[in-house]
């Protein structure tokens, strides 16, 4: 059983309440429940954290090491495009992670095309709505089961 930390950045607490044409109609709680189900079915455990504050996400990443987290799925939201602090925290803990986005950031404004996290991630999944998290988990399971068969 591996522990997978699922981090959600600023404004993702609003999912399902606004801009459904971009971000879908599922709430964050709906998405988290689906993630829990998928993880349980594979014998893993998901832990969830959402924050609108950059430093709280940095703290969650730092604490992940002591909490024996083996994998991180992160939708850093707007902080993806701005945060050297999140990059440094992910780099410092050295836990494998996938960057995940609901929307296709490459079909949107140019400022969303750059990520401070992508090049140190295992990979990036973007544009599949809530299914992006499922796809990220499939890759996470493969990574975990490959390193600990
Ligand atoms: O597509 C994604 O998942 C994003 O990470 C979402 C971020 C955006 O800044 C990134 O470029 C791409 C924005 C999250 C805002 O979430 C909302 C949810 C519902 C209503 C309004 C905003």
């Amino acid at each position: 059983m591996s522990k997978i930390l699922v981090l959600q950045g600023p404004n993702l607490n609003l999912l399902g309440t606004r801009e459904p044409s971009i971000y879908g109609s599922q709430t964050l709680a709906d998405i988290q429940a689906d993630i829990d189900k998928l993880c349980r079915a594979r014998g893993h455990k998901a832990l969830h954290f959402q924050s609108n504050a950059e430093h709280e996400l940095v703290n969650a990443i730092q604490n992940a090491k002591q909490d024996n987290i083996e994998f991180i799925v992160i939708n850093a939201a707007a902080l993806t495009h701005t945060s050297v602090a999140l990059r440094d925290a992910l780099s410092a803990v050295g836990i494998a992670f996938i960057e995940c986005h609901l929307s296709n950031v490459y079909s949107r404004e140019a400022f969303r095309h750059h990520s401070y996290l992508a090049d140190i991630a295992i990979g990036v999944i973007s544009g599949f709505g809530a299914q992006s998290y499922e796809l990220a988990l499939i890759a996470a399971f493969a990574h975990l089961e490959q390193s600990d068969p």
Side-chain angles (χ1 to χ4, degrees):
M1 193 271 295
S2 297
K3 290 202 238 174
I4 300 170
L5 178 62
V6 184
L7 292 175
Q8 310 277 4
N11 298 308
L12 289 168
N13 54 310
L14 298 177
L15 282 175
T17 64
R18 281 168 224 171
E19 301 195 68
S21 58
I22 305 176
Y23 300 118
S25 54
Q26 282 189 274
T27 65
L28 186 58
D30 294 335
I31 290 172
Q32 289 171 337
D34 288 346
I35 290 171
D36 287 343
K37 224 184 282 171
L38 285 170
C39 286
R40 260 200 311 272
R42 283 293 273 260
H44 300 303
K45 183 172 171 53
L47 292 99
H48 299 280
F49 183 68
Q50 186 278 330
S51 181
N52 294 329
E54 185 177 30
H55 74 277
E56 289 187 358
L57 292 162
V58 169
N59 289 341
I61 293 166
Q62 287 188 11
N63 293 336
K65 205 74 197 173
Q66 293 94 276
D67 295 344
N68 298 316
I69 301 293
E70 287 183 55
F71 203 94
I72 296 174
V73 173
I74 181 167
N75 183 349
L79 294 173
T80 307
H81 319 298
T82 63
S83 180
V84 177
L86 282 184
R87 177 194 177 87
D88 287 347
L90 286 161
S91 182
V93 295
I95 299 171
F97 76 94
I98 289 175
E99 175 183 327
C100 181
H101 298 284
L102 294 147
S103 63
N104 177 355
V105 290
Y106 300 102
S107 68
R108 302 182 65 192
E109 303 94 323
F111 65 82
R112 296 186 204 274
H113 299 179
H114 177 261
S115 164
Y116 278 97
L117 314 181
D119 64 303
I120 59 164
I122 299 265
V124 178
I125 295 175
S126 181
F128 299 93
Q131 205 191 3
S132 289
Y133 293 95
E134 287 179 35
L135 296 170
L137 285 175
I138 290 168
F141 298 153
H143 180 89
L144 288 165
E145 288 159 23
Q146 186 184 310
S147 33
D148 184 20

